[in-house]
Amino acid sequence: MRQQAARAEADLRSGQFEATIDYGNNTRSTVRVRFDYGDGQRARRLHIATTAENAGGSRATEYLLIGDRSWQRQGAGGWAPANLQDGMWEQVQVLLPRVGAAGDVALVDAAGADGAVLRWHDAASNADSTLEIDLATGTPRQLRQAQRANRVVLAVAYREWNSPVDIAAPGGQ
């Protein structure tokens, strides 16, 4: 099952998912990602919407990249051209399970008749990881990583995997 999940991750070309990072003390961030790595006919496209929440309130930011063009907006404000290329695509990678590189992965449980749960310790981030996958395809459904040192918890729900996404430039740009 680990190899099947690693293959599904290696074959990922487009999709969407939502991640929540809980830092404790009522501080958390939510990240919604839609992406398409593109091909010879279509430019790569990425849309990231983040909301940071703490006791003082919340702040929303969106990023949009299409080919070599990028935009950003704060809250409900308008889109403005921005130089965002560096590091944005890496955010997609950070939110993937990376089960193929994990050591000592164990099958923990069945997740219903069509799913399974894998568990491992990620030494690089000192986090305990669990991943629910679809048994038929190896496609990830839900990742949970809990860091041992500071108890930060990352939860990622993979809503679409290799499904088409519609990401367009801001109106008229």
Side-chain angles (χ1 to χ4, degrees):
M1 280 186 252
R2 172 188 179 174
Q3 291 82 9
Q4 190 178 18
R7 251 189 327 276
E9 189 172 335
D11 292 341
L12 180 63
R13 297 293 169 252
S14 64
Q16 54 185 311
F17 43 86
E18 183 172 320
T20 301
I21 306 165
D22 187 342
Y23 299 96
N25 296 327
N26 295 320
T27 302
R28 62 189 264 167
S29 295
T30 303
V31 181
R32 284 175 296 289
V33 178
R34 295 182 302 134
F35 66 96
D36 184 329
Y37 285 124
D39 58 23
Q41 299 172 351
R42 256 185 359 264
R44 42 188 222 160
R45 299 170 287 151
L46 174 66
H47 178 243
I48 298 177
T50 64
T51 303
E53 301 173 53
N54 60 33
S58 67
R59 188 184 78 209
T61 306
E62 287 184 79
Y63 307 95
L64 183 61
L65 288 79
I66 300 176
D68 61 357
R69 299 178 66 200
S70 54
W71 301 266
Q72 178 178 355
R73 75 174 170 180
Q74 301 290 322
W79 289 100
N83 185 14
L84 299 171
Q85 296 294 323
D86 293 338
M88 294 304 291
W89 282 98
E90 287 76 10
Q91 290 190 38
V92 174
Q93 296 299 314
V94 167
L95 296 174
L96 294 175
R98 301 176 307 280
V99 69
D104 200 23
V105 176
L107 173 63
V108 178
D109 193 9
D114 63 345
V117 176
L118 304 176
R119 180 173 293 151
W120 69 94
H121 177 73
D122 183 341
S125 62
N126 194 23
D128 295 316
S129 302
T130 56
L131 177 65
E132 180 183 334
I133 63 169
D134 180 286
L135 279 176
T137 64
T139 303
R141 293 179 179 163
Q142 179 86 24
L143 172 68
R144 184 178 187 281
Q145 290 182 325
Q147 293 182 359
R148 291 181 178 179
N150 56 17
R151 305 222 184 259
V152 171
V153 175
L154 167 68
V156 184
Y158 302 102
R159 307 238 184 268
E160 301 291 333
W161 197 270
N162 280 332
S163 296
V165 294
D166 182 31
I167 302 172
Q173 295 188 37

